[in-house]
């Protein structure tokens, strides 16, 4: 489809896109202008992320293994273990890569000045905050502490970037 005069063309090094300009969007019956969504409270976002991450990680693991099997020319009917396929291709598991990214960000935050906005969030005290009933929600700090215990890391190691990067690297 060739874009009309009311369309804008964007190009990058990878592909070309076209999208309608703002005045032509209102005339198209199937395209509605975006409505502002209500703000999401931090508790709601934390609950959403905590609940959906398990599902998302499992889906990513399945999709990754499907691609690795396809790369090796194998099917599930061949009954080859996932670990063997990972060794053959030389790929680390998704959970390890996600842990590496989390710890990389943690190291970046810890190396920042204490007056930086991202560091000021650590000092926010939640006075009068009471957890609700049921299982306690998993916080980012708790996940980071668990990751650091798994890899036997300390908070002091974050100050030396080179050491930190080598220690958090996901192994095959």
């Amino acid at each position: 489809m060739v874009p009309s005069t009311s369309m804008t063309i964007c190009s990058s090094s990878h592909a070309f896109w076209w999208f309608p300009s703002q005045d032509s969007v209102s005339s198209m019956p199937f395209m509605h202008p975006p409505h502002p969504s209500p703000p999401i409270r931090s508790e709601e976002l934390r609950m959403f992320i905590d609940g959906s991450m398990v599902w998302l990680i499992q889906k990513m693991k399945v999709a990754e293994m499907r691609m690795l099997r396809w790369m090796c020319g194998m099917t599930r009917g061949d009954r080859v273990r996932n670990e063997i396929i990972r060794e053959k291709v030389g790929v680390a598991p998704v959970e390890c890569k996600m842990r590496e990214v989390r710890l990389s960000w943690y190291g970046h935050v810890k190396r920042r000045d204490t007056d930086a906005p991202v560091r000021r969030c650590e000092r926010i005290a939640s006075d009068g905050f009471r957890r609700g009933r049921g299982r306690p929600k998993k916080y980012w700090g708790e996940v980071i502490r668990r990751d650091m215990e798994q890899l036997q890391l300390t908070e002091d190691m974050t100050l030396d970037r080179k050491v930190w990067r080598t220690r958090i690297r996901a192994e095959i």
Side-chain angles (χ1 to χ4, degrees):
M1 176 176 194
V2 178
S4 66
T5 57
S6 66
M7 303 279 180
T8 306
I9 297 178
C10 274
S11 67
S12 72
S13 60
H14 300 298
F16 285 94
W17 296 280
W18 67 270
F19 56 91
S21 60
Q22 189 62 36
D23 58 330
S24 64
V25 169
S26 58
S27 64
M28 294 181 188
F30 59 89
M31 294 184 77
H32 302 288
H35 296 288
S37 59
I40 297 176
R41 294 192 328 253
S42 62
E43 308 92 55
E44 292 173 349
L45 182 62
R46 190 172 47 247
M47 288 185 334
F48 173 73
I49 290 174
D50 185 38
S52 66
M53 287 305 279
V54 175
W55 175 82
L56 178 67
I57 291 170
Q58 184 61 32
K59 290 282 187 184
M60 288 175 63
K61 286 197 288 190
V62 170
E64 179 197 29
M65 283 314 303
R66 189 177 294 160
M67 286 185 272
L68 293 177
R69 286 181 189 277
W70 175 72
M71 287 170 53
C72 294
M74 296 181 186
T75 64
R76 290 199 48 188
D78 297 334
R79 299 182 59 86
V80 179
R81 290 189 159 279
N82 291 348
E83 295 84 25
I84 295 171
I85 293 176
R86 280 188 197 287
E87 287 176 14
K88 188 175 183 179
V89 178
V91 175
V94 175
E95 307 94 41
C96 295
K97 294 302 282 182
M98 290 177 72
R99 182 186 324 117
E100 181 182 339
V101 170
R102 272 194 307 264
L103 290 173
S104 173
W105 174 251
Y106 177 73
H108 170 71
V109 168
K110 285 297 182 181
R111 283 188 297 274
R112 295 290 306 265
D113 189 48
T114 55
D115 294 334
V118 75
R119 290 294 300 268
R120 279 189 263 150
C121 294
E122 294 175 339
R123 296 188 306 262
I124 294 175
S126 52
D127 297 332
F129 178 72
R130 185 172 168 264
R131 287 191 178 201
R133 294 172 42 187
R135 180 181 62 85
K137 303 298 179 214
K138 192 183 299 182
Y139 293 105
W140 185 74
E142 295 169 7
V143 175
I144 292 295
R145 276 192 292 278
R146 187 196 65 209
D147 290 343
M148 288 177 67
E149 286 172 8
Q150 268 184 339
L151 297 177
Q152 299 169 349
L153 300 171
T154 61
E155 203 169 307
D156 300 335
M157 292 179 185
T158 60
L159 301 176
D160 186 4
R161 187 175 185 273
K162 191 175 277 189
V163 170
W164 184 253
R165 294 291 293 178
T166 56
R167 293 291 303 266
I168 67 172
R169 181 88 42 200
E171 297 295 323
I172 299 172

